């Protein structure tokens, strides 16, 4: 089975998928689309992803879009090792943690939003960093409480889950923009554990990094 991941090395959404692929031991080919020059808006790419966003995972079921849906597909198609708990309550908690990143932090800090803030709203870089820091801090404060409650090394329990696949890329973004992470020791520790477990998924290890 051939899997091809369309992404960009700094895309946190693509990073989520790389983490899940690595955790499941799945080989994949990579196709890079440089978001800085708008390569994701090319007509041939929009034929795969009508929004012109990364990532896309091409496989036996055709092109799959939106990283949460891709992660769920990977979990269903390749259930071993599992990235969701076996009990329904645990699965709900993990999905809530993932959604906290995918729905509440990442969308308002992604490249499209930051570009509009800069170009249309006149925000300078200091304002951009305050914006990013504010929304990351709000989300991470809630995640820290959940990880303290449910984590035992990873965000939920003692093995990686889909929550970790969302949290580590958001930590990477926070580090890029110098967000203070000292208030979130449990979150940072769980992210570091995953980072060391699958270093091949890291942004700076990708062929298009630079």
């Amino acid at each position: 089975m051939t899997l091809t991941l369309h992404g960009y090395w700094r895309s946190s959404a693509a990073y989520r998928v790389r983490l899940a692929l690595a955790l499941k031991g799945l080989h994949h080919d990579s196709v890079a689309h440089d978001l800085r020059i708008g390569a994701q808006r090319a007509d041939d790419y929009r034929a795969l992803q009508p929004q012109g966003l990364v990532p896309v995972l091409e496989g036996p079921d055709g092109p799959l879009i939106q990283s949460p849906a891709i992660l769920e597909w990977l979990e269903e198609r390749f259930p071993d090792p599992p990235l969701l708990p076996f009990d329904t309550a645990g699965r709900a908690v993990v999905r809530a943690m993932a959604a906290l990143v995918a729905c509440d932090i990442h969308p308002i800090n992604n490249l499209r939003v930051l570009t509009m803030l800069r170009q249309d709203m006149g925000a300078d870089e200091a304002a951009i960093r305050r914006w990013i820091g504010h929304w990351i801090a709000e989300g991470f404060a809630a995640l820290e409480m959940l990880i303290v409650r449910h984590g035992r090394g990873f965000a939920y329990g003692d093995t990686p889950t889909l929550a970790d696949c969302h949290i580590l890329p958001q930590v990477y973004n926070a580090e890029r923009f110098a967000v203070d992470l000292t208030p979130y020791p449990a979150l940072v520790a769980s992210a570091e554990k995953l980072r060391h477990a699958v270093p091949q998924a890291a942004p700076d290890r990708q062929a298009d990094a630079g």
Side-chain angles (χ1 to χ4, degrees):
M1 178 184 300
T2 299
L3 297 173
T4 301
L5 178 64
H6 295 257
Y8 172 63
W9 69 284
R10 269 189 170 164
S11 163
S12 58
Y15 191 3
R16 297 169 195 164
V17 177
R18 291 198 305 270
L19 286 166
L21 289 165
L23 288 167
K24 290 182 176 292
L26 296 171
H27 171 76
H28 68 280
D29 297 323
S30 296
V31 178
H33 302 269
D34 193 336
L35 306 189
R36 296 167 298 185
I37 61 172
Q40 75 281 11
R41 294 191 292 271
D43 289 343
D44 58 346
Y45 184 70
R46 283 188 182 271
L48 296 175
Q49 216 294 14
Q51 290 177 286
L53 301 174
V54 296
V56 169
L57 184 67
E58 288 191 277
D61 294 335
L64 305 175
I65 68 172
Q66 290 292 341
S67 61
I70 294 170
L71 294 179
E72 292 279 355
W73 180 86
L74 287 170
E75 183 69 0
E76 293 177 8
R77 192 71 185 252
F78 307 97
D80 187 36
L83 297 181
L84 283 170
F86 292 109
D87 63 298
T88 55
R91 294 163 84 89
V93 171
V94 166
R95 286 183 169 121
M97 288 176 156
L100 210 157
V101 174
C103 300
D104 296 332
I105 302 176
H106 173 253
I108 52 179
N109 281 341
N110 69 15
L111 181 61
R112 293 183 301 166
V113 171
L114 300 184
T115 298
M116 186 168 186
L117 287 173
R118 290 185 179 103
Q119 295 181 355
D120 296 352
M121 308 297 183
D124 60 18
E125 288 308 306
I128 292 292
R129 287 181 179 271
R130 287 197 303 273
W131 173 275
I132 291 170
H134 171 80
W135 296 114
I136 289 178
E138 276 210 351
F140 277 12
L143 281 168
E144 178 74 9
M145 294 175 64
L146 292 169
I147 293 169
V148 168
R149 185 180 305 162
H150 298 287
R152 295 194 306 276
F154 288 98
Y156 185 96
D158 57 4
T159 59
T161 67
L162 297 184
D164 300 280
C165 292
H166 284 74
I167 291 168
L168 174 54
Q170 196 61 56
V171 168
Y172 170 77
N173 282 349
E175 293 167 343
R176 281 182 59 205
F177 291 100
V179 176
D180 180 15
L181 296 178
T182 55
Y184 323 110
L187 183 151
V188 170
S190 66
E192 284 301 316
K193 191 166 185 176
L194 181 58
R195 197 189 320 242
H196 290 301
V198 283
Q200 68 271 32
D204 61 4
R205 296 280 295 271
Q206 306 315 301
D208 60 321

